[in-house]
Amino acid sequence: QLQLVESGGGLVQPGGSLRLSCTTSGFTLDYYSIGWFRQAPGKEREGVSCISSSGGFTNYADSVKDRFTISRDNAKNTVYLHINSLKPEDTAVYYCAADYGPYCSGKYDYWGQGTRVTVSS
């Protein structure tokens, strides 16, 4: 059964850091690009970052550039989202999704259940 499971969320103070993980099973991660999304309370879901299947291409939303870093370890079936200098406005449920193909095409076939990040003092 194809699954994406996010982990690593939690309560963190402003200025802190987190590493979110998206662990996959049931499919060959090498063939998929992976995107990270977030949905803040009362807001629509927004795309945060994407990484191509090889890891050679990444992109970021303007709101997170220079603070978020996406990476992947296909041998571990895991994609990471490193978040630095957290701000209260980063509070959201973070989701990962799988896009079949080498590029971040924006057509996501499979989604995880999300991990909650709360940034508060």
Side-chain angles (χ1 to χ4, degrees):
Q1 183 178 355
L2 192 145
Q3 281 191 312
L4 295 89
V5 179
E6 302 92 338
S7 61
L11 174 63
V12 63
Q13 293 188 340
S17 299
L18 280 175
R19 187 184 75 169
L20 305 184
S21 298
C22 172
T23 303
T24 68
S25 60
F27 64 100
T28 304
L29 183 60
D30 304 51
Y31 299 147
Y32 286 80
S33 300
I34 299 293
W36 280 97
F37 297 79
R38 66 183 181 184
Q39 187 164 19
K43 295 189 176 181
E44 292 189 355
R45 186 176 65 201
E46 66 167 334
V48 171
S49 183
C50 182
I51 187 166
S52 62
S53 60
S54 69
F57 171 81
T58 60
N59 64 21
Y60 299 92
D62 287 342
S63 58
V64 306
K65 244 175 226 182
D66 301 326
R67 296 190 300 119
F68 287 26
T69 302
I70 192 170
S71 63
R72 64 192 293 156
D73 186 341
N74 287 351
K76 294 184 177 179
N77 296 317
T78 303
V79 175
Y80 304 99
L81 187 67
H82 303 257
I83 308 176
N84 296 318
S85 303
L86 276 155
K87 304 176 181 180
E89 51 263 43
D90 294 319
T91 294
V93 178
Y94 285 72
Y95 302 89
C96 62
D99 172 3
Y100 181 73
Y103 306 112
C104 296
S105 70
K107 298 176 184 176
Y108 293 94
D109 306 294
Y110 308 104
W111 292 81
Q113 295 299 307
T115 185
R116 186 175 300 275
V117 173
T118 302
V119 184
S120 175
S121 56

